[in-house]
Amino acid sequence: MKLWGDRFGKESSEEAFQFSASLPFDRRLWKHDIRGSVAHAGMLGKCGIIPQAEAEQIIAGLKQIETDIQTALDRNEDPFDPQSEDIHTEIERKLTEKIGEVAGRLHTARSRNDQVALDLRLYLRDACDEIGKSLIRLQEALIAQAESHLKTETILPGYTHRQHAQPVLLSHHLLAYFWKFQRDRDRVCDCRRRINVSPLGAAALAGTSYPIDPALTAAELEFPCAFDNSMDAVSDRDFAVEFLAVAATCMSHLSSLAGELVLWSSAEFGFVILDDAWCTGSSIMPQKRNPDIAELVNGKAGRVLGHLVGLVSLLKGLPLTYNRDLQEDKEAVFDSHNTLCGSLGVMAGMLQNAAFQSGQMLEAVKASPFLAATEVADYLAKKRVPFRQAHSLTAKIVRSCEEKKKSLADLSLEEWKKFSPLFDADIEELLEVGAVVKAKASPGGTAPQEVTKAIMKAKQVMQAPREG
Amino acid sequence: MKLWGDRFGKESSEEAFQFSASLPFDRRLWKHDIRGSVAHAGMLGKCGIIPQAEAEQIIAGLKQIETDIQTALDRNEDPFDPQSEDIHTEIERKLTEKIGEVAGRLHTARSRNDQVALDLRLYLRDACDEIGKSLIRLQEALIAQAESHLKTETILPGYTHRQHAQPVLLSHHLLAYFWKFQRDRDRVCDCRRRINVSPLGAAALAGTSYPIDPALTAAELEFPCAFDNSMDAVSDRDFAVEFLAVAATCMSHLSSLAGELVLWSSAEFGFVILDDAWCTGSSIMPQKRNPDIAELVNGKAGRVLGHLVGLVSLLKGLPLTYNRDLQEDKEAVFDSHNTLCGSLGVMAGMLQNAAFQSGQMLEAVKASPFLAATEVADYLAKKRVPFRQAHSLTAKIVRSCEEKKKSLADLSLEEWKKFSPLFDADIEELLEVGAVVKAKASPGGTAPQEVTKAIMKAKQVMQAPREG
Amino acid sequence: MKLWGDRFGKESSEEAFQFSASLPFDRRLWKHDIRGSVAHAGMLGKCGIIPQAEAEQIIAGLKQIETDIQTALDRNEDPFDPQSEDIHTEIERKLTEKIGEVAGRLHTARSRNDQVALDLRLYLRDACDEIGKSLIRLQEALIAQAESHLKTETILPGYTHRQHAQPVLLSHHLLAYFWKFQRDRDRVCDCRRRINVSPLGAAALAGTSYPIDPALTAAELEFPCAFDNSMDAVSDRDFAVEFLAVAATCMSHLSSLAGELVLWSSAEFGFVILDDAWCTGSSIMPQKRNPDIAELVNGKAGRVLGHLVGLVSLLKGLPLTYNRDLQEDKEAVFDSHNTLCGSLGVMAGMLQNAAFQSGQMLEAVKASPFLAATEVADYLAKKRVPFRQAHSLTAKIVRSCEEKKKSLADLSLEEWKKFSPLFDADIEELLEVGAVVKAKASPGGTAPQEVTKAIMKAKQVMQAPREG
Amino acid sequence: MKLWGDRFGKESSEEAFQFSASLPFDRRLWKHDIRGSVAHAGMLGKCGIIPQAEAEQIIAGLKQIETDIQTALDRNEDPFDPQSEDIHTEIERKLTEKIGEVAGRLHTARSRNDQVALDLRLYLRDACDEIGKSLIRLQEALIAQAESHLKTETILPGYTHRQHAQPVLLSHHLLAYFWKFQRDRDRVCDCRRRINVSPLGAAALAGTSYPIDPALTAAELEFPCAFDNSMDAVSDRDFAVEFLAVAATCMSHLSSLAGELVLWSSAEFGFVILDDAWCTGSSIMPQKRNPDIAELVNGKAGRVLGHLVGLVSLLKGLPLTYNRDLQEDKEAVFDSHNTLCGSLGVMAGMLQNAAFQSGQMLEAVKASPFLAATEVADYLAKKRVPFRQAHSLTAKIVRSCEEKKKSLADLSLEEWKKFSPLFDADIEELLEVGAVVKAKASPGGTAPQEVTKAIMKAKQVMQAPREG
């Protein structure tokens, strides 16, 4: 079914219809479409554009349709007619079936151009809220593990260049992700603010000659404001680009965390045991416990980036106003929303149930011969050796140890003194793992008291409502 | 159902299962999976790894399953159990159901790692063949239009920088696309050659201790050869990247052609009328005939590029051998295949039914005041004026005409001679549209006799089998 | 020169040095690097980590170096030693040259990891400000043209699907872009807010054992706050991703506007004449005036998208904290900044000097036979015909006109009445172009009084300072 | 300087000139531009289009210019005038300077449209050859290490899902990459074949009225053939897309190898020590030896993907024929070429000098408790237990061992027999590491004799000339 068939001398080619029909995916907008139509019909009635009674009839019809569709879906039945080219057509068809000719008044002063923009914005607004909640769930999982491992002061090697650098608290490491996801939440808020503008009333592209009230429908649909320019309203998809960019950024954070869990669950690291419920096995190798879920999250980061690329390159060079190319925005948005929420969910679940292996981590720290080398350089610098020279001398000490297959901890005071008379007995306790960590007490550093403060701040920040 | 459940102390989390199950999309591989298993079972029997009778039992079971699934699909029933995590598991489950415990021998000397690589290669080989056919259909449509418009010598303005440049034959313009699609076919062939290597027998990653014969299964499955290195065989997805790159390139060609059809069907150009069966209308503006199908093809070019990006960034930095991230290759490949074949199909259909408006085109050529300017410069250069000076003088003639709001054709011989005494009476006939086109008789140029040759060559090339 | 040479037994391979040296591009950060070092040295002095006198000596040295470099650059001389591996090393080398051994104290309690993050944030903060200004310049050009064409009520066909849809004011069309760029400004602000956090004091990854005061350096460098977590601070590049996403979005807006200018300057449209100073010619076709600048803007949109893809895929799966992969962030950021500012600048210049051809536009509107079709449907709907039927009837009228090669304006009242008795004499004035535009007086519509309001609002919004 | 200035009423805006000038990057094409012009002038002479003597004069001039430029470059002087808008203009300017007015004949029957396409193809043909050589150097490094470690039968854990899977020979692991790069070489060949078509003679877009001989210039420039369609010839950039796709694929292979070297050089793995000459240190942590070169290769894979995206999205929807957007192809191509060759070079150097730690690898294998689990399942399956049951039983054995913190090797025969009476004394020797590897003797598997064959085949394949 099409809303424009009388214009044409013949039927669409079946091949063209199959190629262009969007019902297979935009059916997902059915609730938003009905909600928008209810608001529109209400406004048409209130503004006297159609009789109030007819508006009410339309609204009642739409609400009945909503119930019908939900019922069908709950029964696993397909409520939609595949002959409709899109969800807008399908809902109007159902309405005509239900209330007859008066249904034909619903599309007064409206076009599918503003209608689909509205549906997409309603959808994305909900998606933002859902993503916000999923982010909070993941942040809570991070804080819970961070708190638990702060109590035990679990220490692991901190890495730069994937090489041992300096020892850090596991809690500090996990909280680094907390802040990344906090910025993601911030971005979701900013994005939602730009989504949250009603395009209804732009009509096809130029506004309409009916005395409509876009502010009324905006308010009814909980938008703080309506569009400023009708041609912009129907052509704008930058909010969808922003949504995908925010999603891709968050997926990149998730992929880093997932990548570390995969690495840490390797035989070589052994820093974490993922719960059986979040692993899978092999069809041929009976011993395998594979971190598939984390691997998939990593893989799926590429997918969302792909959707972003698809949409931006679709929009490149596109003239005003509505062009059918824009139909391609929806699958990218839907799939990215699914992928992001799914990934946030499984990562939260996996983290909550992950058993970080503090013993293995400490062993790695202790076996690491030069993890305290920065402390040695700082020790010298604090004794007035310019840092650059202190660094240079320490590098020589490290090389000498390497040649003798010793760690810094193996050096005797005498040996230290051979390198520099500035070394005293206190050098030894300085190199003790716990001492190294405690010493990093600068604001935002890894010392336990700093991490304690950080957890408090994280909790506060997470609860603070942000004005959007 | 999982093939590895006994390894674990507890069930998968439902959230993890939903997130990671691939049956919703890899069901598309069911035929290829069965075909591969039939070949594998046959080889196991022939090599004496399992008894011949059991091999036959397995093969018979698989063939029965193939019939069952096809029957169910034909009846619009879902043949698959959503509790299976992937299509491989599901087929093995069905086999067990059908032939009992002996089904458990099928997975001997095989892993899902080589199995899924095999299925994907079988799928893509078919996809290449289908794309090849779709390309031919489109090329035929181009040639048919080119031939038809060569008879009438339909001339339109040739463009550079989207500005009138020199008049060309419509046939010449259309054939430019023929050659682009010919290169696409060439690329599909090259890609198919690299797809066409059997990975079966690589097992999990290292080969197997069974005396298997990968060459036998390769031959059975019509692969000219098998893998060289088992670890490469299960990790390699570069053939899928190549497939997506080839698809994205072809889509970019399609989007250029589609973009021109959109432009040409605008009121301003009026160079083509697309058939009603390939257009759509508007829900609000009763007059609209929109080139939606062409617009969608343009939009979908971004989609395939997105899939390519997704896969390449998935593979970036991935260590050997099989990693679950790779599961994400399939949807990108399936959707790109669909999108490309769909787009090729509708473009062929649209072109076949497009009514190019030779009258409108000729009018545009005639209204274009300076389309023959290059001829003027060449005219002078042929009289021994260095081309750079000839160009410069012609530019001045053009500016002078512009100021007087004249076209080149409006100049009298006297006026010509004022610019240069080298101009003679023959300048006038030189500027006649048909003469300009005929003059471009250099090889591969737009003169009718060259285009005639080009159509002959195009037909030859299209039929020539290429050795893949 | 390297800051870590004493660690190693031998020199870098020349090939490796060339491959990894970043001085060829990060030299662009020299001012920001010096500014950061000045703040750091000041803090070291104030906190008593190094003697105040030495801090002052370092600061004086750095300021002298700043002057030296600027002088050399002004003279077109290269101030940098290509043997330094990066700009940080080079500045420290120069400092040592200038003030001797005390220079070695500057790097106390700092790492290149927090240093480079700082430099990049300082750079991007400036870049955001510059982009903001360039956006304003472009918005002003749009408003100026919109105001000027509002006076003359220049009307052109509004397009959907690149097809004539409804007549609109040129001012309305141009203002649609104003709002797109306004959202871009909004995004730049949001992005700047997230850039505007000091990472200095995170040191290598874990903080430091020196009693540093990150809030002090933050304040000195005009950051409203410092980092919360040291491991996040040195690994975070999401602000750079956001910058590139914002830039890519803005480029997509620019490419749409550029694409329209290219189209409109074609012979077929003739809606705009770009000034000679913003066009180029052809080396062979003397008549050509090509809209190269607009074409390049369109082409460059792809470039910035490419940079975004490069950075996101670089970050995918990257573990904490600093990894050398991150060096690849800079060229993407620098080039995108250049490209965006350059494109904004030329588009503003081109627009200011563009001669929109109101005569040609009006002609296109008048020649368009069915541009008022929506009005006809609305006319009927206002007489109580359900819109869907009104649309259907109007479609039939259009088809009938097409067959008779008439426009709506050609129909006599008698003919109208044959289609429906509801048509009265007022239908004729309704179809007059100016009337159609005036009728679209709904909020945000194209009627002159609405556009007048819109320009006022645009001016207000542009001046309103946004709290960042 | 411009080749078209006389067309215009005024000068270019400086801002527009800076924005659009390509000399800053297309100067890289100077040799190819001269080579193409020499061939073109020769053809003009031979075909009698310009006098032979003038052709010779032009050629001599061009050759002198080539020498001049080379001399200047060798002296580190800039040979180019920044006022020229592109390299074509600059070379023609120099020629005019050198031989006077006759230089103006060079551009007869040619346009910058076919000229730039020619230059780019000549450049890319060279680039393909250079990449081919760099690939061979890397393959040789892989083979050398593979041969050396085959002698010692160095064994390491083979991984799937980044988890220990089955033991493999290091040689086998390295050769997996050999085959990936072999396919890359194959792709480079295919791509070169499509690059290797001369576009010279297409002129602006339509061919020319001069009696040129494109086959002659093609032969002179060592192209096996010339273009078929002039409009295709000047618009085609799919060869550049293919080049970038091939480069991105090769970079993805390099990034995997680089990623493994980074991982293997971590403290946890310790599988390789990279030579000091290929590592760098830290400005703050004196002990660090960072695998920066490998990290950068990983990071740069994103960069090349970005260039690919930029070009494909540039081409999307671009109409025939030459559009200035195309200027953006060059930087993407140049930088990708640099990046790929640089990366291949450093990876070869790094590999040649890498010290793989066979002791550490063997230790990892031995410490891995269940690496031989597949052998156990196969053992049972060979005794006629259906593989699926054998797998299931082995999984239970593994779980039981895990609970008792035992490895498979720790089980006594008695314990084995408790699980199944099918286990005999031979199970023990089966589990020995070397035996497991030797057992994987299927074609393409990891057994030493298979790897020996593979090295022979690799050497053969590498030397076999491929017909391009």
Side-chain angles (χ1 to χ4, degrees), chain A residues 399-414:
Chain A
R399 278 185 60 200
S400 151
C401 284
E402 266 189 336
E403 280 156 21
K404 297 177 194 148
K405 302 204 181 295
K406 283 186 169 184
S407 79
L408 291 178
D410 296 336
L411 293 178
S412 65
L413 183 54
E414 201 177 338

Short mmCIF file of all heavy atoms in Angstrom, two decimals, chain A residues 399-414:
data_model
loop_
_atom_site.label_atom_id
_atom_site.label_comp_id
_atom_site.label_asym_id
_atom_site.label_seq_id
_atom_site.Cartn_x
_atom_site.Cartn_y
_atom_site.Cartn_z
N ARG A 399 70.65 -1.20 33.41
CA ARG A 399 71.42 -1.99 32.43
C ARG A 399 72.41 -2.91 33.12
O ARG A 399 72.58 -4.07 32.72
CB ARG A 399 72.18 -1.07 31.46
CG ARG A 399 71.30 -0.57 30.33
CD ARG A 399 72.10 0.23 29.33
NE ARG A 399 73.17 -0.55 28.74
CZ ARG A 399 74.25 -0.03 28.14
NH1 ARG A 399 74.36 1.29 28.06
NH2 ARG A 399 75.17 -0.82 27.63
N SER A 400 73.04 -2.38 34.16
CA SER A 400 74.00 -3.19 34.89
C SER A 400 73.30 -4.39 35.53
O SER A 400 73.80 -5.51 35.51
CB SER A 400 74.69 -2.30 35.93
OG SER A 400 75.08 -3.04 37.03
N CYS A 401 72.12 -4.15 36.14
CA CYS A 401 71.35 -5.25 36.73
C CYS A 401 71.00 -6.29 35.67
O CYS A 401 71.12 -7.50 35.90
CB CYS A 401 70.06 -4.73 37.36
SG CYS A 401 70.28 -3.90 38.93
N GLU A 402 70.52 -5.80 34.54
CA GLU A 402 70.13 -6.72 33.46
C GLU A 402 71.28 -7.64 33.09
O GLU A 402 71.10 -8.85 32.92
CB GLU A 402 69.71 -5.92 32.22
CG GLU A 402 68.23 -5.67 32.13
CD GLU A 402 67.83 -5.08 30.78
OE1 GLU A 402 68.68 -4.45 30.10
OE2 GLU A 402 66.67 -5.24 30.41
N GLU A 403 72.45 -7.03 32.97
CA GLU A 403 73.61 -7.84 32.59
C GLU A 403 73.91 -8.90 33.64
O GLU A 403 74.27 -10.02 33.31
CB GLU A 403 74.83 -6.93 32.37
CG GLU A 403 74.80 -6.27 30.99
CD GLU A 403 75.62 -4.96 30.94
OE1 GLU A 403 76.51 -4.79 31.81
OE2 GLU A 403 75.34 -4.14 30.04
N LYS A 404 73.71 -8.51 34.89
CA LYS A 404 73.97 -9.47 35.98
C LYS A 404 72.73 -10.28 36.34
O LYS A 404 72.72 -10.99 37.35
CB LYS A 404 74.47 -8.70 37.20
CG LYS A 404 75.80 -7.98 36.97
CD LYS A 404 76.20 -7.17 38.20
CE LYS A 404 77.32 -6.20 37.86
NZ LYS A 404 77.28 -4.96 38.65
N LYS A 405 71.67 -10.11 35.56
CA LYS A 405 70.41 -10.81 35.82
C LYS A 405 69.92 -10.61 37.26
O LYS A 405 69.53 -11.54 37.96
CB LYS A 405 70.55 -12.30 35.51
CG LYS A 405 70.96 -12.56 34.06
CD LYS A 405 70.56 -13.93 33.57
CE LYS A 405 71.02 -14.16 32.13
NZ LYS A 405 70.37 -13.26 31.15
N LYS A 406 69.99 -9.37 37.68
CA LYS A 406 69.50 -9.02 39.01
C LYS A 406 68.31 -8.08 38.89
O LYS A 406 68.16 -7.39 37.88
CB LYS A 406 70.59 -8.26 39.79
CG LYS A 406 71.69 -9.10 40.34
CD LYS A 406 72.61 -8.23 41.20
CE LYS A 406 73.58 -9.13 41.98
NZ LYS A 406 74.43 -8.34 42.90
N SER A 407 67.52 -8.02 39.96
CA SER A 407 66.50 -6.99 40.02
C SER A 407 67.01 -5.88 40.92
O SER A 407 68.00 -6.05 41.65
CB SER A 407 65.19 -7.55 40.55
OG SER A 407 65.26 -7.65 41.95
N LEU A 408 66.35 -4.73 40.92
CA LEU A 408 66.77 -3.62 41.78
C LEU A 408 66.77 -4.07 43.24
O LEU A 408 67.67 -3.70 44.03
CB LEU A 408 65.83 -2.42 41.61
CG LEU A 408 65.91 -1.69 40.26
CD1 LEU A 408 64.88 -0.56 40.22
CD2 LEU A 408 67.31 -1.14 40.02
N ALA A 409 65.79 -4.88 43.60
CA ALA A 409 65.68 -5.32 44.98
C ALA A 409 66.87 -6.17 45.41
O ALA A 409 67.15 -6.34 46.61
CB ALA A 409 64.38 -6.09 45.17
N ASP A 410 67.57 -6.74 44.42
CA ASP A 410 68.70 -7.62 44.75
C ASP A 410 69.97 -6.84 45.08
O ASP A 410 70.95 -7.42 45.56
CB ASP A 410 69.01 -8.55 43.56
CG ASP A 410 67.86 -9.50 43.27
OD1 ASP A 410 67.08 -9.78 44.19
OD2 ASP A 410 67.74 -9.95 42.11
N LEU A 411 69.97 -5.55 44.79
CA LEU A 411 71.21 -4.78 44.99
C LEU A 411 71.45 -4.53 46.48
O LEU A 411 70.53 -4.20 47.23
CB LEU A 411 71.14 -3.44 44.26
CG LEU A 411 71.11 -3.48 42.73
CD1 LEU A 411 70.99 -2.05 42.18
CD2 LEU A 411 72.37 -4.15 42.19
N SER A 412 72.70 -4.68 46.89
CA SER A 412 73.07 -4.37 48.27
C SER A 412 73.34 -2.87 48.38
O SER A 412 73.56 -2.19 47.38
CB SER A 412 74.32 -5.14 48.64
OG SER A 412 75.40 -4.65 47.84
N LEU A 413 73.31 -2.39 49.59
CA LEU A 413 73.55 -0.96 49.81
C LEU A 413 74.90 -0.56 49.21
O LEU A 413 75.07 0.49 48.59
CB LEU A 413 73.50 -0.62 51.31
CG LEU A 413 73.67 0.86 51.64
CD1 LEU A 413 72.68 1.72 50.87
CD2 LEU A 413 73.51 1.09 53.14
N GLU A 414 75.84 -1.44 49.39
CA GLU A 414 77.18 -1.23 48.86
C GLU A 414 77.14 -1.02 47.34
O GLU A 414 77.74 -0.10 46.81
CB GLU A 414 78.01 -2.47 49.17
CG GLU A 414 79.50 -2.24 49.15
CD GLU A 414 80.18 -3.57 49.56
OE1 GLU A 414 79.47 -4.39 50.22
OE2 GLU A 414 81.34 -3.78 49.19
#
